[in-house]
Amino acid sequence: MSSSSSSASASSSSSPPAAVIFLHGLGDNGGSWAPELQRLKKDIPNLQVVCPTAPTQAVTINFGMRMPSWHDIVSLEELKPADFKGLADSIAIVRGHIDKLVKEHKVPTERIFVGGFSQGAALSVATALQYEKKLA
């Protein structure tokens, strides 16, 4: 799995006080969610929105088809830790976005919300539970 990711982001200021990192579901991309999430800026001034795209990789449950995926999915019936190949790499990608928001945009971690849809939602929970500081 590639350690790089593309992302769609926009901000209304160079030093926003809050941020949303939103992670898409299997086979989707961050750019499809960014326009809708930009609407939050009407109610939250100086909000940074980050919608990264997962690396493209083969997904076992989809007959090995290559698609944007935060980790492999082997089965939906018998889940084993080995079935989530790539999850640690994806957590590192999200942590990189959090660290960049803190260092480059001065967003406090407690003002960074990490969420998502489907596979992205699961990744957001895994990331938040493992992050050493409190997130929003």
Side-chain angles (χ1 to χ4, degrees), residues 67-102:
M67 62 186 63
S69 179
W70 295 112
H71 59 78
D72 193 17
I73 301 172
V74 175
S75 171
L76 296 177
E77 295 175 13
E78 294 184 38
L79 300 178
K80 301 172 194 150
D83 292 347
F84 297 95
K85 181 181 175 202
L87 181 59
D89 292 337
S90 290
I91 290 172
I93 290 169
V94 180
R95 290 175 65 93
H97 286 290
I98 294 169
D99 294 345
K100 182 177 179 179
L101 287 165
V102 171

Side-chain angles (χ1 to χ4, degrees), residues 45-127:
N46 299 320
L47 177 69
Q48 177 88 12
V49 174
V50 180
C51 296
T53 295
T56 298
Q57 64 178 319
V59 178
T60 304
I61 200 168
N62 286 349
F63 307 103
M65 181 185 280
R66 294 183 59 77
M67 62 186 63
S69 179
W70 295 112
H71 59 78
D72 193 17
I73 301 172
V74 175
S75 171
L76 296 177
E77 295 175 13
E78 294 184 38
L79 300 178
K80 301 172 194 150
D83 292 347
F84 297 95
K85 181 181 175 202
L87 181 59
D89 292 337
S90 290
I91 290 172
I93 290 169
V94 180
R95 290 175 65 93
H97 286 290
I98 294 169
D99 294 345
K100 182 177 179 179
L101 287 165
V102 171
K103 290 176 185 166
E104 294 182 17
H105 299 283
K106 309 297 184 222
V107 180
T109 58
E110 63 273 6
R111 303 262 308 149
I112 299 173
F113 173 83
V114 181
F117 175 77
S118 192
Q119 189 183 48
L123 175 59
S124 70
V125 171
T127 302

